[in-house]
């Protein structure tokens, strides 16, 4: 299994919440999961657990606040590019939990400027794949004791 799929699977398993569908364990399984749409309950659980405002969550998923509100009201799903953005977010949160160990550490780290990321707050870099890649690389370096 790919490292991202492994981290996403572990993260979803630990944060199952209202998720009723089986959690995929492989990249191809996640492809089907994403194509079927990521339930809004996953996003709600992440927002609650990590103290993300609707505005922050919407920015991370590239969804306007009004669209996000409608999804939450109707208990809809994130599909297409929104589902990909959710996968990116879940992958990074999975790596962060593996490295930083607690929710409190993850929240603090995500919202604090990181010198190795040019002083940027990781939460702001999660809007793009390139930003997520930079965050994941830094987290993996930390995990292996490499000083960036």
């Amino acid at each position: 299994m790919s490292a991202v799929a492994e981290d996403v699977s572990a993260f979803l398993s630990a944060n199952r919440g209202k998720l009723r569908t089986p959690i995929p364990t492989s990249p191809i399984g996640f492809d089907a999961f994403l194509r079927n749409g990521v339930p809004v309950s996953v996003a709600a659980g992440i927002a609650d657990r990590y103290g993300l405002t609707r505005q922050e969550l919407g920015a991370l998923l590239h969804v306007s606040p009004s669209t996000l509100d409608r999804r939450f009201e109707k208990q809809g799903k994130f599909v297409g590019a929104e589902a990909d953005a959710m996968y990116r977010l879940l992958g990074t949160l999975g790596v962060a939990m593996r490295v930083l160990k607690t929710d409190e550490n993850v929240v603090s780290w995500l919202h604090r400027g990181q010198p190795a990321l040019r002083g940027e707050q990781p939460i702001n870099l999660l809007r793009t794949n390139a930003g997520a890649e930079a965050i994941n690389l830094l987290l993996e370096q930390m995990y292996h004791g490499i000083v960036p």
Side-chain angles (χ1 to χ4, degrees):
M1 176 165 34
S2 80
V4 174
E6 208 169 280
D7 285 325
V8 173
S9 183
F11 183 80
L12 284 175
S13 294
N15 301 286
R16 191 165 190 79
K18 298 176 183 176
L19 186 61
R20 303 282 182 244
T21 59
I23 296 170
T25 57
S26 69
I28 197 71
F30 273 107
D31 179 69
F33 179 75
L34 296 172
R35 285 175 190 254
N36 288 328
V38 179
V40 73
S41 63
V42 173
I46 289 170
D48 289 344
R49 185 168 179 173
Y50 295 101
L52 298 176
T53 65
R54 291 266 175 108
Q55 185 174 354
E56 287 175 314
L57 184 61
L60 293 174
L61 300 178
H62 304 282
V63 176
S64 71
S66 58
T67 298
L68 190 62
D69 287 341
R70 280 193 305 278
R71 294 270 165 69
F72 274 89
E73 287 170 19
K74 295 179 181 178
Q75 290 299 302
K77 292 184 175 187
F78 296 102
V79 295
E82 298 166 4
D84 277 340
M86 179 62 72
Y87 187 70
R88 176 179 59 238
L89 176 59
L90 291 171
T92 299
L93 289 173
V95 175
M97 279 302 295
R98 179 167 44 87
V99 174
L100 302 171
K101 306 293 184 202
T102 68
D103 291 341
E104 294 79 20
N105 289 346
V106 171
V107 169
S108 174
W109 191 84
L110 286 173
H111 290 91
R112 192 175 54 237
Q114 300 298 324
L117 299 172
R118 293 184 319 223
E120 291 282 340
Q121 293 179 355
I123 196 74
N124 294 330
L125 294 175
L126 271 173
R127 296 176 186 180
T128 66
N129 286 331
E133 192 175 317
I135 294 166
N136 292 342
L137 176 61
L138 176 57
L139 287 166
E140 290 295 345
Q141 289 171 333
M142 292 166 53
Y143 185 74
H144 292 288
I146 299 169
V147 178

